[in-house]
Amino acid sequence: MIRKIILGSIAALLVLSPAVSGSQAMADSADMLGAFKNWTAYTTGSGSSRTCYALSKPRAQEPKSLKRGAIFLMVSDWPGRKVKAELEVVPGYAYKLGAPATLGIGGDRFNFFSRNDGQNGSAWLQNLNDGGPLLDAMNHGVSAVAIGTSSRGTKTVDTYSLAGFGDALAKMHAACNM
């Protein structure tokens, strides 16, 4: 339930605004904690259902002609579930079943598994032990490149700036006391 609220809030934000960091069009269910260069931090819910997250839209997308929904890279804290810094890639389409999804930062590549909910796909880190190294790479990197394959077989490459990631992460951790 909370996941659908967050994704709905994010989708509204991304559709209504040209840039995440400059947006004033936030859904009522989420509160913006701050904009940090190319990343924006939010919180939603209260008590055990409180969730904090930071997200960014891609700076480049390939292929440019592909019609897609909201596209973003996000990290979430779920204090009620004791989950800190869960990374997620949302490609704006349903993933091809069994196709790999990756996130590359510099020379490092991290594998993700994907799940579809109707026409909406999401991907999460395949090996939880990679969480620390991935966050470290994001804190010190310049850009992240997400690669995935749509249900129609189209390979996509989305490039995200990591400028402001560390500050957005710190803000969301503080808001969720994590």
Side-chain angles (χ1 to χ4, degrees), residues 16-35:
L16 296 173
S17 69
V20 172
S21 62
S23 174
Q24 297 298 313
M26 191 60 203
D28 291 338
S29 62
D31 295 314
M32 187 168 84
L33 298 170

Side-chain angles (χ1 to χ4, degrees), residues 48-123:
S48 64
S49 67
R50 185 172 185 81
T51 304
C52 301
Y53 57 98
L55 62 89
S56 183
K57 288 173 43 173
R59 292 303 192 205
Q61 306 170 79
E62 293 294 332
K64 292 179 183 175
S65 61
L66 185 64
K67 184 178 178 181
R68 296 160 73 178
I71 307 164
F72 51 92
L73 177 60
M74 70 183 288
V75 59
S76 305
D77 283 346
W78 305 80
R81 296 186 334 201
K82 296 183 176 31
V83 174
K84 182 178 180 180
E86 179 182 60
L87 270 293
E88 181 177 358
V89 177
V90 177
Y93 57 75
Y95 281 103
K96 180 177 183 178
L97 294 178
T102 61
L103 187 67
I105 302 165
D108 296 323
R109 297 285 171 269
F110 300 91
N111 295 317
F112 283 63
F113 71 92
S114 62
R115 291 269 196 292
N116 295 323
D117 182 9
Q119 293 303 309
N120 301 311
S122 291

